[in-house]
Amino acid sequence: MTFLALFAGIAVSDYPRAVTWFEGLLGSPATFEATPTECVWELAEDRSIYVELRPERAGQAMVTVFVDDLDQLVQAAAGRGVRPVTRETYGNGVRKVTFRDPDGNEVGFGGGPVPDPTAGA
């Protein structure tokens, strides 16, 4: 079996507020609006995150996305007023930052270890 795509949904209680927050986190408007209460950001081909107005389920999501430049993502989000609530480094050097939207949904971003500036010298 081959998994071909990922479409991760995040339930929110206030759709306009969530759209604004995710625009700040992801750095762009949604790729498209699926319905008047659901919009989608395509992160890469066949890899998307969407927010949907579902107040009864809001605040329970936990999503982690690996990126090629974690530091750049965190710096860019901070420039738009969105800051992580936690930063972790695991024993193998892999790093993770977690952001929390106004409903409490967790959106994490992972990245590889910080390159050793002395490696290869």
Side-chain angles (χ1 to χ4, degrees), residues 3-4 6 12 18 23 28 38 40 44-45 49 58 62 64 68-69 94-95 103 107 113 117 119-120:
F3 295 101
L4 301 175
L6 176 66
V12 299
E23 287 174 347
S28 69
E38 178 183 349
V40 179
E45 186 175 350
I49 288 180
M62 295 186 322
T64 300
D68 60 352
D69 192 333
V94 170
R95 299 171 296 141
D103 284 311
V107 181

Side-chain angles (χ1 to χ4, degrees), residues 6-10 39-41 43 47-51 62-63 65:
L6 176 66
F7 199 63
I10 300 174
C39 64
V40 179
W41 283 264
L43 305 178
R47 292 173 217 125
S48 300
I49 288 180
Y50 69 97
V51 297
M62 295 186 322
V63 176
V65 179

Side-chain angles (χ1 to χ4, degrees), residues 55-92:
E56 71 284 356
R57 297 189 65 190
Q60 302 302 310
M62 295 186 322
V63 176
T64 300
V65 179
F66 253 72
V67 296
D68 60 352
D69 192 333
L70 183 60
D71 296 323
Q72 179 185 15
L73 181 140
V74 171
Q75 183 178 10
R80 295 184 294 270
V82 181
R83 291 185 166 59
V85 294
T86 63
R87 296 173 186 258
E88 302 172 82
T89 301
Y90 300 103
N92 62 359

Side-chain angles (χ1 to χ4, degrees), residues 8-43:
I10 300 174
V12 299
S13 65
D14 182 324
Y15 183 72
R17 177 183 70 183
V19 170
T20 299
W21 189 87
F22 275 88
E23 287 174 347
L25 176 65
L26 300 173
S28 69
T31 307
F32 65 93
E33 187 173 86
T35 73
T37 59
E38 178 183 349
C39 64
V40 179
W41 283 264
E42 186 174 49
L43 305 178

